[in-house]
Amino acid sequence: MIALKSAWEVFLLFLIPVGGGIPGGVLLARTRGIAWPIMMLLYFISDVVLACVFEPLMKTFIFIGRHVSFLGRFIDLMRKTVRKSASYYGTKTGPIALVMISFGVDPMTGRAAARAAGHGFVTGWLIAITGDMIYFTLLMVSTLWLSDVLGDGNLAMTIILVLMIGIPWAIRRIRKALSPNPQ
């Protein structure tokens, strides 16, 4: 019963779409004696839940956006954002580029990009979840390793969170500075 409760708590942290859900969930899982393969399974299940919640919401917003001008403009803005995110990975949005979008941004953006590329529910989410699982694996290994090196899970989680935010920000700044025509 305790193991199930612990797994449930980790799963709930993994459901948080942004922020400290991954490093927090990984460290909580470790303290509760949950092995890394189970962590990966819990995270995968959280992605499946995300797919089952996000997909109907996305389709509902698209449908309503055809009739409500404000929402339609918002959806157009989101399409432009997805296109801009996808442009960093090349002009062809094949499966590898779509996986990288999910890895580099988030699975919802990865799914939206996969949908824009013509992929249906199952293949689109498989692509998005693949990128997100690669991202999760990288963060899980980094969090566990850093926690071992530092001997302090809270400090490790803080460093991982700063890096999760700081590295993409720094890359964008560097790309902008190196761009021949900065915007």
Side-chain angles (χ1 to χ4, degrees), residues 120-142:
F121 176 79
V122 173
T123 57
W125 275 107
L126 283 174
I127 289 168
I129 289 173
T130 299
D132 195 41
M133 289 302 296
I134 294 168
Y135 181 74
F136 170 78
T137 303
L138 178 68
L139 281 182
M140 178 186 68
V141 169
S142 300

Side-chain angles (χ1 to χ4, degrees), residues 65 68-78:
V68 178
S69 62
F70 167 78
L71 193 54
R73 289 191 303 271
F74 177 76
I75 291 168
D76 286 339
L77 179 65
M78 291 305 295

